[in-house]
Amino acid sequence: MFPFSVLVGKAVRRISRLRGGGSALPGLVVEKIDPGFMGRALTGLPHGVVVISGTNGKTTTTKMVVELLQGQGLTVFTNRTGSNFTRGVAAALLGEVNWRGRLKADIAVLELDEAHAVHFVKLVPPTHCLLLNVLRDQLDRFGEIDQTTRLLEQIAAKTTGTVVLNREDPRVAGIASTVHDAEITYFGLDASLRSTFPNDDELRGDIGVAPPSSLPADVILEHVDGNTAMFLTDGESTSVDLRLRGVYNIFNAAAALAMARTVLGGAINRAALFASLATVEPAFGRGESLVVDGKPLELVLVKNPSGFRLGLKSFDAAGYATMIAINDNYADGRDMSWLWDVDFDSLGLAGVDMVSGVRAYDMALRLKYDDVDVRAVEPDTTAALKAFISATHDQPKRIFCTYTAMLAVRRDLSKITTVEVVS
Amino acid sequence: MSKGTLNILQLYPREMNIYGDWGNVLVLKQRLAWHGYTANILEHSAGDTFPEDIDLIIGGGGQDSGQLVIQQDLQAIAPKLRELAEDGLPMLVICGLYQLFGNFFKTHDGTVIPGIGILDLETHGTNERLIGNVVADSEEFGEIHGYENHSGQTRLGPGVRPLGTVTKGAGNNSQDGHEGARHLNVVASYLHGSLLPKNPAIADFLLRKAAERKFGAFEPADLDDSLADLARRHAGARPR
Ligand SMILES: [Zn+2]
């Protein structure tokens, strides 16, 4: 035990907070002076360490798993949105450990980006991992999606207890054959919902969808009607009214249920589990609803073709004014090719009121080729948001944006309405 | 009243469609309609009978695994593709199929994957990935804008000329400044983004060659490409 590093880390954390700095610096400091800090703090938790990774839905799924386990009476340590890398976990830990570096929690549930998760599991082998999907996202960073699958395999290989897999994603389901020591559990979809969730090979509109998987699943999403979802567990169907919006968030709920059931096994309280699920609010930018001029304004984060497609599918354009903001900063991915893998036909009837972001003209050009009417283009997000709100003040609004465009839009919105600040 | 129908064939839409290759097909289809013609989009997948009566061929890039799946089929249809290329049929091949239209692809571990030799060029796998925005100058098409992401490095033989010379980015390889290849009416490039939306001159070249080959003439409409111009200007100002 070397409490000195914890004290230093905590001090750096306090100072960087006072200066309004980012959350990563204290994590960096403690990693440098005490590389074993994270492993010591996280090993020996009574219910272990859960790692959640995959391309889409990590944040929402992690939030759900945390709240489901809290609903079962567990004290849960988690990393906050936007810090899904190892250093972010170390920084978050510094805020929670006592001066001896001990964490007072029953379990840690951590969202980790694929590449950072591989680094993390080498330091701290997880007891459980939940692997959601492998989709085209930031190929300029990871190269190819087959490469991303290799990263997830490494996470599964280090897992000591149970690996929870999406049986509907052939790349993720295939990871099972590479796992030797851990148990495997699946979550999945009823055959009737299969076509709603195209995997990466099925992004092209005209191509058919593969037959449903026949692997046994612990939790199956059976039916979705608006915000009401039906889950099949232990041969029993349960209907839940959710606050989460968007059909892809609801599939993530099946993933979260499977993870919670895996962690607690027979000790789980079924009624409490579904009651907790019903109260989960959407995470940052995953269909959050704000109020502007007395009308709802929804923010939908889009960062890859499948996410954008599902976003368009989940949120009906009818009656809404629409803005789209596309940036190509490092965190968004610089390659614009992905916009051409999304069909925008669903926006054709109502058109798009404003297109913004660094790559506003790439987006406007994309919409032109789908015959979608664009009423205004303004690359500057501040000017665009202002114009969008004043032009559509009497309508409900929806803004689809990439990650850094979302941060910019939220910053501007926080000046006129209540927005949860995420640092 | 349509000025005529062109049959556009997309090669291996399932395996070779990474990085928005569908965007190129969509642009050809839409521009053809805006020019007053009708587009009929056809697909060829591994194992299919190669269709007759094709006017334009387009193919994209894929994962390494996708390239293995199509390998045998591509060799089977190669004589037909060569004959059509020699006959002046316009073709656009991007990234993975660009490489396989060449003489061979030698992977990083020394395995030689034979190409179909329509283009006199060879590609060598490396452990360096060339990624980022690209701007290239082309005598034929002006400034070309796109995005590259490949670890195979391509060298042109004497039988082809480069599509352009890079002013930003790498292009075919990290040494000679060449991007893409041109031969007959075949256009080959590493660039996606997708390529055709921001480079309508290339799209209209392919459509012109297809229409001329089929109808003896191309009668284009005057299209408004101001959005593409703005997209090009903004893309050109972005970092590598
Ligand atoms: Zn490529």
Side-chain angles (χ1 to χ4, degrees):
Chain A
M1 175 54 51
F2 185 45
F4 170 69
S5 59
V6 176
L7 294 178
V8 172
K10 276 182 176 285
V12 174
R13 183 169 182 274
R14 202 167 304 126
I15 293 163
S16 73
R17 288 222 143 179
L18 286 173
R19 296 177 52 201
S23 60
L25 177 67
L28 176 68
V29 171
V30 80
E31 255 189 339
K32 279 269 178 294
I33 63 174
D34 182 8
F37 160 72
M38 203 158 50
R40 285 200 313 275
L42 290 173
T43 319
L45 296 179
H47 286 279
V49 174
V50 176
V51 165
I52 299 176
S53 197
T55 316
N56 265 359
K58 290 186 284 290
T59 302
T60 304
T61 310
T62 302
K63 192 170 187 290
M64 282 191 274
V65 172
V66 168
E67 293 183 32
L68 293 181
L69 292 175
Q70 284 170 339
Q72 301 288 316
L74 298 192
T75 303
V76 183
F77 167 75
T78 187
N79 54 337
R80 296 188 312 152
T81 304
S83 59
N84 61 358
F85 43 93
T86 316
R87 208 158 280 162
V89 174
L93 270 174
L94 276 171
E96 298 294 322
V97 293
N98 64 19
W99 65 275
R100 296 173 63 192
R102 287 271 156 77
L103 183 65
K104 198 172 166 297
D106 298 312
I107 188 168
V109 177
L110 304 171
E111 167 196 357
L112 287 160
D113 167 288
E114 298 90 325
H116 288 105
V118 170
H119 178 56
F120 176 85
V121 299
K122 284 177 188 154
L123 299 171
V124 185
T127 51
H128 307 81
C129 74
L130 171 54
L131 305 178
L132 297 170
N133 43 51
V134 183
L135 297 154
R136 273 170 229 211
D137 180 26
Q138 303 190 12
L139 282 163
D140 43 353
R141 204 143 61 86
F142 294 129
E144 295 189 333
I145 53 174
D146 291 341
Q147 190 60 37
T148 311
T149 312
R150 300 288 95 75
L151 297 177
L152 296 187
E153 280 172 9
Q154 294 181 55
I155 302 167
K158 289 280 183 192
T159 303
T160 57
T162 305
V163 174
V164 180
L165 300 173
N166 176 0
R167 73 169 186 188
E168 313 299 345
D169 184 317
R171 289 187 175 79
V172 171
I175 291 171
S177 66
T178 69
V179 173
H180 304 294
D181 303 326
E183 305 269 316
I184 305 277
T185 293
Y186 298 97
F187 63 96
L189 291 167
D190 186 76
S192 63
L193 287 171
R194 184 63 185 75
S195 63
T196 312
F197 298 87
N199 66 51
D200 200 86
D201 299 323
E202 299 160 350
L203 284 175
R204 265 285 310 284
D206 310 343
I207 290 173
V209 168
S213 170
S214 56
L215 291 164
D218 181 60
V219 179
I220 289 175
L221 175 60
E222 280 189 300
H223 185 71
V224 180
D225 185 3
N227 286 13
T228 304
M230 187 109 77
F231 298 95
L232 178 68
T233 51
D234 304 321
E236 194 179 318
S237 297
T238 308
S239 176
V240 188
D241 290 328
L242 299 160
R243 295 202 188 149
L244 293 170
R245 302 173 50 84
V247 70
Y248 58 106
N249 280 335
I250 296 174
F251 186 34
N252 290 333
L257 286 169
M259 189 74 252
R261 286 166 53 85
T262 299
V263 167
L264 289 170
I268 206 147
N269 177 331
R270 247 186 101 88
L273 184 71
F274 288 105
S276 303
L277 184 64
T279 63
V280 177
E281 297 280 351
F284 161 75
R286 279 71 173 180
E288 278 174 296
S289 201
L290 311 172
V291 176
V292 172
D293 287 350
K295 297 283 176 191
L297 183 152
E298 283 170 9
L299 291 172
V300 183
L301 181 69
V302 290
K303 34 176 212 164
N304 49 43
S306 58
F308 211 151
R309 285 171 75 118
L310 290 173
L312 291 168
K313 211 168 204 167
S314 298
F315 302 103
D316 189 355
Y320 275 75
T322 301
M323 170 168 155
I324 303 177
I326 304 294
N327 280 355
D328 69 348
N329 296 314
Y330 177 77
D332 305 300
R334 294 212 182 277
D335 189 358
M336 288 293 107
S337 302
W338 68 283
L339 295 179
W340 295 88
D341 281 329
V342 183
D343 299 320
F344 293 93
D345 298 339
S346 64
L347 297 176
L349 215 56
V352 172
D353 297 276
M354 174 62 77
V355 175
S356 184
V358 176
R359 289 300 193 109
Y361 288 105
D362 271 81
M363 185 67 230
L365 187 62
R366 174 69 193 91
L367 291 169
K368 175 185 165 148
Y369 276 99
D370 265 356
D371 298 317
V372 176
D373 184 31
V374 173
R375 285 183 272 280
V377 185
E378 168 53 68
D380 179 81
T381 49
T382 300
L385 185 65
K386 211 175 208 173
F388 174 60
I389 288 173
S390 77
T392 65
H393 71 96
D394 53 348
Q395 285 172 268
K397 299 168 204 21
R398 186 173 293 129
I399 307 180
F400 295 95
C401 30
T402 62
Y403 185 72
T404 68
M406 166 80 70
L407 295 179
V409 165
R410 291 173 69 91
R411 208 155 43 230
D412 287 332
L413 283 172
S414 69
K415 292 168 192 158
I416 54 172
T417 187
T418 312
V419 181
E420 185 203 353
V421 178
V422 177
S423 60
Chain B
M1 177 67 194
S2 171
K3 295 173 186 168
T5 299
L6 291 180
N7 296 321
I8 299 174
L9 179 71
Q10 189 185 9
L11 293 176
Y12 313 114
R14 190 177 255 278
E15 294 85 6
M16 306 297 275
N17 75 338
I18 197 171
Y19 310 129
D21 289 310
W22 168 245
N24 292 328
V25 180
L26 180 64
V27 166
L28 291 174
K29 179 181 169 191
Q30 285 286 53
R31 292 186 79 81
L32 201 54
W34 297 337
H35 283 307
Y37 294 79
T38 308
N40 182 30
I41 307 294
L42 301 164
E43 295 179 350
H44 175 82
S45 297
D48 291 355
T49 307
F50 194 80
E52 296 294 320
D53 195 19
I54 293 304
D55 304 307
L56 202 161
I57 289 177
I58 184 160
Q63 305 272 320
D64 293 347
S65 56
Q67 308 206 7
L68 287 176
V69 171
I70 67 150
Q71 182 57 27
Q72 204 182 356
D73 188 83
L74 183 66
Q75 290 298 339
I77 66 170
K80 187 73 194 164
L81 291 174
R82 270 196 293 272
E83 180 194 316
L84 291 170
E86 292 297 331
D87 192 49
L89 187 113
M91 302 182 181
L92 173 70
V93 280
I94 306 290
C95 205
L97 276 173
Y98 167 25
Q99 295 167 341
L100 293 175
F101 264 49
N103 297 324
F104 63 84
F105 183 113
K106 190 172 181 186
T107 64
H108 194 42
D109 62 20
T111 313
V112 175
I113 300 168
I116 60 172
I118 289 179
L119 301 172
D120 178 21
L121 50 90
E122 54 190 58
T123 303
H124 295 262
T126 69
N127 52 13
E128 174 190 20
R129 203 160 186 97
L130 304 173
I131 302 184
N133 287 308
V134 177
V135 181
D137 271 333
S138 146
E139 267 176 45
E140 236 177 331
F141 304 113
E143 212 169 66
I144 298 171
H145 289 265
Y147 191 94
E148 66 183 324
N149 183 352
H150 55 107
S151 55
Q153 300 211 6
T154 298
R155 293 191 177 285
L156 305 183
V160 296
R161 53 189 197 283
L163 171 64
T165 308
V166 291
T167 54
K168 173 159 69 185
N172 287 346
N173 55 63
S174 49
Q175 286 94 40
D176 64 21
H178 289 163
E179 158 46 33
R182 279 282 292 114
H183 178 56
L184 302 163
N185 289 327
V186 181
V187 178
S189 174
Y190 270 114
L191 305 190
H192 26 88
S194 305
L195 179 71
L196 295 184
K198 281 204 289 291
N199 300 286
I202 301 177
D204 284 359
F205 164 85
L206 297 166
L207 295 176
R208 166 177 297 280
K209 291 299 172 189
E212 286 174 353
R213 183 172 171 274
K214 187 166 203 171
F215 309 119
F218 181 50
E219 296 164 22
D222 189 13
L223 304 187
D224 174 7
D225 283 318
S226 52
L227 270 181
D229 292 341
L230 284 160
R232 291 159 63 83
R233 198 184 308 159
H234 283 256
R238 298 302 294 155
R240 160 78 167 144

